[in-house]
Amino acid sequence: QLNALSTDVLDLLDVSKASTTQIAGLTTTAFADLTDAQIGALTTAQIANLSTDQIGALTSTEVQALTTTQADALTATQLGGLTTTELGLFSTNQLGALTTTQVQGLTTTQLNEVSADLLDALDLSKFSIAQVNGLTTTSIINLTDTQIGVMTATQVTALSTTQLEALTTTELGNLNADQAGALTSTQVASLSTTDFAALSVTTGIPSLSIEAIAGISTEDIYALTADQGNAFSQAQVDVMTGDQLAALVDVVTV
């Protein structure tokens, strides 16, 4: 019945009084005909039962007018079913406020195709390991220093060598102790001497795991400053090879 109503009549209805079944049963045409005020009156239960086609029928003004409560009602399935264009209707503030469950409903296709501004709005610490693994080099490059800074140790360990190499020297230098400590020997070995030399004296070098020391080349060590060389802990030095130790001695005695 609702789908058969004229736009003028449909626009007079108090949609908050309709059942979730009635709202979910609206065609995309009928749903698109709802006014901004009617969209704003939708209950969280009604929002949670919308189809992806219905959400995609909203204008960018209507999407960005959704209240925090309404946006919180969107399910991971609904968000994951949106096209990149439809996801682009959301504001950066709305995407930044998504819960972990909602963020992890997004597909890697969406994450890699969405605009850099919208990707930068997402809280990277809420990404699943699969989502992190699925980010292209371009997407990694587009991440902000702040986003890299909130990555969990598990996420850092999960980065491929190609992804790790896409980080800037600034981002590598800003790795906190947990992040640096999560680097594997394979990841460390993949870093260029310039990238390795970007590791911090306070949170980078001394935080490398004992396992990661094996990934350090003599060229990496020679690229360090004396302060960085002196930042290695005794436990780290104890597992170094003869060649690594010789290089380290040269660096710290310069």
Side-chain angles (χ1 to χ4, degrees), residues 168-203:
T168 65
T169 52
T170 298
E171 290 167 338
L172 289 168
N174 288 337
L175 292 179
N176 60 44
D178 288 339
Q179 292 172 323
L183 294 172
T184 67
S185 59
T186 300
Q187 289 175 314
V188 170
S190 73
L191 295 174
S192 67
T193 54
T194 300
D195 286 341
F196 184 76
L199 294 178
S200 164
V201 171
T202 54
T203 59

Side-chain angles (χ1 to χ4, degrees), residues 119-134:
L119 177 64
D120 290 349
L122 293 168
D123 183 344
L124 195 61
S125 68
K126 297 176 181 178
F127 281 30
S128 68
I129 297 303
Q131 287 175 313
V132 172
N133 286 153

Side-chain angles (χ1 to χ4, degrees), residues 30 38 62 86 89 93 129 156 204 218 235 249:
Q38 287 175 306
E62 290 170 333
E86 291 165 349
L89 298 176
N93 287 336
I129 297 303
V156 170
T218 54
V249 169

Side-chain angles (χ1 to χ4, degrees), residues 6-7 10 16 18 27 50 53 73 95 106 132 162 228 248 250:
S6 67
T7 301
L10 182 63
S16 67
T27 63
L50 295 176
D53 286 340
L95 290 184
L106 300 175
V132 172
T162 301
Q228 286 175 306
L248 184 60
D250 286 345

